[in-house]
């Protein structure tokens, strides 16, 4: 009689397994909860449900992967990609809590599957670290200053970042990519706020410990110290009678071991000659800093420096154009204050820039219409001549030449080389 009852129970559970899978597919949580309660008190009766649940999430993986790879979820953007992952996680997290009373085996089954899905879905087939890179990009977009960012919602959004972070297999790649993006935000003054940065660092500290966050904390501390240094520098200038020197500049003093900053690979063999207009400010700050910190040496990273130049043209509006440029670009443009026409070779001699930099930035100026080249159809090479385009016009008063036109692909290539070097040669204490 007992064997007969066991056989009947197995047949009953088997039929319920098919029914259970049907309700999983139709997302009927009330019916799933009823079935779970019905069998949860019977030893081993839920095994069939666990099996069916595993089959179900595998089907979800096929559907979600197809959605991400084929572009129906707009997988080209980090925001859309992370949103897709979070929606899947949120649904099953709620399902297991409400329908299955947070049953440990259901939780384990889902966690094991979701780890594989996050790290090995179709988007990651070509680049195994793709999820880590996209998550870092998404976190950066949340923490970057924007008129669309509402800090009141930030905690919830960063909690979503940490939800996906805990499932990453390649956390080291995330840390490297995130620290590089954080450095970019801080150096360019584009961070949403100090509190927002601390909130993210706190989440990473809780998830991974002090080892992965101490450099991030140091970076944040360096920006605070640099702000105080710049205030002190301006006071020192006034006291020294050099008020006009350096009034429009600011400096960032960074501890080398904590910032993911590599020497520009394309500047090898280049001896950059800074423009005279910033040399004075540069030397004054160097003197000021060494008076405060005896024995310390400053290493100037010109490839990270940028600023703004005001320019008046015959065709310009009443308000002068303002060009956002790098220090390298600035060294080229300022030569036209004293020369109507300058040769390629003369520009190279006066700036000390290597071939790659010089050709890249001259291409940017030509594409923007800021310079004219002679002969007209030539490219920036030795023997060509350049003149300022006095008929320059732009719909914008502020013109960003840091990222522009024909040299954009070259710039991206340089950044990719630099990123790879940073990953290979990341400094440790």
């Amino acid at each position: 009689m007992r064997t007969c009852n066991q056989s009947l129970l197995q047949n009953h559970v088997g039929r319920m397994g098919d029914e259970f899978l049907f309700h999983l597919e139709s997302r009927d949580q009330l019916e799933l909860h009823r079935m779970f309660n019905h069998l949860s008190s019977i030893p081993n009766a839920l095994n069939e449900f666990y099996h069916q649940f595993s089959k179900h999430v595998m089907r979800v993986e096929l559907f979600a992967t197809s959605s991400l790879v084929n572009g129906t979820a707009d997988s080209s953007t980090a925001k859309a990609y992370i949103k897709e992952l979070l929606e899947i996680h949120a649904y099953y997290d709620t399902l297991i809590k409400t329908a299955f009373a947070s049953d440990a085996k259901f939780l384990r089954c889902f966690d094991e599957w979701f780890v594989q899905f996050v790290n090995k879905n179709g988007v990651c087939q070509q680049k195994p670290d793709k999820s880590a890179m996209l998550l870092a990009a998404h976190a950066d977009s949340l923490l970057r200053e924007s008129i669309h960012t509402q800090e009141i919602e930030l905690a919830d959004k960063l909690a979503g970042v940490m939800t996906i972070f805990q499932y990453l297999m390649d956390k080291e790649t995330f840390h490297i990519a995130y620290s590089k993006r954080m450095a970019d935000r801080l150096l360019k003054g584009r961070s949403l706020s100090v509190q927002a940065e601390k909130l993210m660092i706190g989440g990473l500290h809780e998830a991974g410990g002090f080892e992965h966050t101490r450099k991030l904390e140091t970076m944040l501390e360096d920006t605070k110290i640099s702000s105080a240094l710049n205030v002190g520098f301006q006071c020192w200038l006034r006291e020294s009678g050099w008020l006009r020197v350096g009034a429009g500049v600011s400096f960032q003093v960074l501890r080398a071991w904590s910032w993911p900053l590599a020497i520009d690979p394309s500047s090898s063999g280049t001896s950059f000659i800074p423009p005279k207009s910033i040399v004075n400010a540069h030397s004054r700050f160097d003197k000021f800093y060494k008076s405060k910190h005896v024995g310390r040496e400053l290493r100037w990273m010109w490839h990270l420096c940028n600023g703004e130049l005001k320019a008046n043209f015959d065709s310009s509006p009443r308000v002068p154009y303002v060009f956002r440029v790098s220090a390298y670009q600035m060294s080229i443009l300022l030569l036209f204050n004293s020369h109507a026409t300058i040769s390629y070779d003369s520009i190279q001699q006066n700036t000390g820039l290597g071939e790659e930099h010089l050709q890249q930035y001259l291409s940017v100026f030509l594409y923007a219409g800021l310079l004219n080249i002679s002969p007209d159809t030539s490219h920036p090479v030795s023997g060509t001549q350049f003149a300022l385009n006095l008929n320059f016009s732009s719909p914008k008063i502020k013109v960003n030449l840091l990222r522009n036109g024909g040299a954009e692909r070259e710039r991206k290539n340089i950044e990719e080389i630099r990123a790879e070097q940073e990953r290979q040669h990341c400094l440790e204490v």
Side-chain angles (χ1 to χ4, degrees):
M1 177 67 90
R2 184 175 181 182
T3 302
C4 182
N5 288 338
Q6 287 178 341
S7 178
L8 289 173
L9 178 60
Q10 288 175 355
N11 290 334
H12 177 61
V13 170
R15 290 194 300 272
M16 291 191 70
D18 294 334
E19 185 181 350
F20 177 80
L21 183 58
F22 172 79
H23 291 306
L24 272 176
E25 300 289 347
S26 59
R27 296 195 167 196
D28 190 344
Q29 294 194 20
L30 288 176
E31 191 61 28
L32 290 171
H33 182 62
R34 182 192 66 78
M35 297 179 72
F36 174 81
N37 282 340
H38 180 64
L39 294 183
S40 59
S41 60
I42 303 173
N44 301 319
L46 291 176
N47 287 341
E48 178 63 19
F49 284 8
Y50 299 141
H51 174 68
Q52 296 291 357
F53 184 76
S54 295
K55 288 172 59 177
H56 168 71
V57 291
M58 291 300 291
R59 293 181 187 178
V60 171
E61 177 175 348
L62 290 173
F63 173 78
T65 297
S66 175
S67 175
L68 291 169
V69 172
N70 294 330
T72 55
D74 193 14
S75 59
S76 61
T77 67
K79 180 180 178 180
Y81 179 78
I82 300 304
K83 179 183 177 182
E84 181 86 358
L85 296 183
L86 284 172
E87 286 178 350
I88 294 172
H89 183 275
Y91 172 75
Y92 286 99
D93 183 63
T94 301
L95 172 68
I96 294 171
K97 286 178 180 177
T98 57
F100 307 140
S102 297
D103 181 83
K105 287 188 177 180
F106 277 117
L107 286 171
R108 184 168 62 252
C109 178
F110 174 73
D111 283 343
E112 289 174 354
W113 167 76
F114 201 63
V115 166
Q116 296 299 313
F117 177 63
V118 167
N119 295 279
K120 298 181 179 180
N121 64 61
V123 175
C124 304
Q125 287 179 357
Q126 298 298 322
K127 295 184 177 180
D129 61 356
K130 189 69 172 180
S131 283
M133 299 297 288
L134 287 173
L135 185 63
H138 178 61
D140 176 65
S141 68
L142 295 176
L143 293 165
R144 195 169 285 270
E145 185 181 37
S146 169
I147 59 174
H148 303 294
T149 304
Q150 298 293 327
E151 223 173 324
I152 193 170
E153 303 172 356
L154 188 63
D156 289 340
K157 291 181 178 179
L158 291 182
V161 172
M162 298 313 302
T163 294
I164 303 302
F165 175 80
Q166 68 181 336
Y167 290 98
L168 286 180
M169 292 179 178
D170 192 359
K171 290 182 171 60
E172 186 62 27
T173 292
F174 172 86
H175 284 297
I176 293 172
Y178 178 78
S179 64
K180 183 177 184 295
R181 289 177 175 274
M182 178 179 172
D184 184 73
R185 288 195 304 275
L186 296 179
L187 290 177
K188 293 180 180 177
R190 297 297 307 276
S191 175
L192 181 63
S193 69
V194 173
Q195 289 304 316
E197 298 290 350
K198 287 182 177 179
L199 190 62
M200 181 64 187
I201 292 173
L204 291 172
H205 180 90
E206 185 176 346
F210 176 71
E211 182 64 26
H212 283 113
T213 58
R214 57 177 177 170
K215 291 184 179 181
L216 303 181
E217 291 169 348
T218 301
M219 287 163 59
L220 206 56
E221 183 182 353
D222 282 351
T223 58
K224 181 180 179 180
I225 294 173
S226 293
S227 296
L229 274 173
N230 280 292
V231 172
F233 177 53
Q234 295 302 322
C235 293
W236 182 82
L237 286 175
R238 286 194 293 270
E239 293 170 359
S240 304
W242 293 317
L243 178 60
R244 296 184 64 185
V245 179
V249 299
S250 63
F251 301 87
Q252 296 275 5
V253 180
L254 318 173
R255 280 169 276 192
W257 65 267
S258 62
W259 289 76
L261 305 175
I263 296 175
D264 192 335
S266 63
S267 65
S268 178
T270 294
S271 180
F272 175 58
I273 303 171
K276 291 181 179 179
S277 56
I278 64 174
V279 166
N280 286 338
H282 160 273
S283 59
R284 299 296 186 226
F285 185 82
D286 190 71
K287 184 176 181 179
F288 161 75
Y289 185 80
K290 290 177 180 178
S291 71
K292 298 289 184 181
H293 304 281
V294 179
R296 293 189 186 180
E297 291 294 327
L298 293 175
R299 181 180 184 180
W300 296 88
M301 305 186 76
W302 292 110
H303 66 287
L304 298 177
C305 300
N306 57 69
E308 294 181 347
L309 291 178
K310 288 186 178 180
N312 288 298
F313 297 94
D314 293 341
S315 60
S316 68
R318 183 174 302 175
V319 179
Y321 287 113
V322 177
F323 296 108
R324 183 76 172 168
V325 293
S326 69
Y328 294 161
Q329 292 172 305
M330 187 182 296
S331 69
I332 298 172
L333 291 179
L334 289 176
L335 294 176
F336 291 92
N337 280 336
S338 54
H339 298 81
T341 303
I342 314 176
S343 70
Y344 178 96
D345 301 284
S346 180
I347 293 174
Q348 188 170 34
Q349 182 180 357
N350 282 279
T351 62
L353 293 174
E355 292 282 341
E356 186 171 2
H357 268 135
L358 192 56
Q359 291 179 4
Q360 177 188 358
Y361 293 128
L362 286 172
S363 295
V364 170
F365 298 148
L366 291 172
Y367 183 88
L370 185 56
L371 295 183
N372 293 324
I373 188 171
S374 179
D376 292 344
T377 58
S378 59
H379 299 287
V381 292
S382 178
T384 53
Q385 299 281 329
F386 298 89
L388 200 62
N389 179 14
L390 298 180
N391 294 316
F392 173 84
S393 64
S394 171
K396 296 181 178 179
I397 298 299
K398 290 189 175 183
V399 183
N400 183 8
L401 295 175
L402 289 173
R403 295 187 178 188
N404 207 331
E408 180 67 7
R409 283 189 297 274
E410 293 180 57
R411 182 190 63 79
K412 287 182 177 179
N413 289 337
I414 291 172
E415 287 186 350
E416 288 174 3
I417 294 171
R418 187 181 303 154
E420 183 62 25
Q421 284 196 347
E422 289 170 9
R423 182 171 182 177
Q424 296 297 326
H425 305 291
C426 189
L427 296 176
E428 298 293 339
V429 178

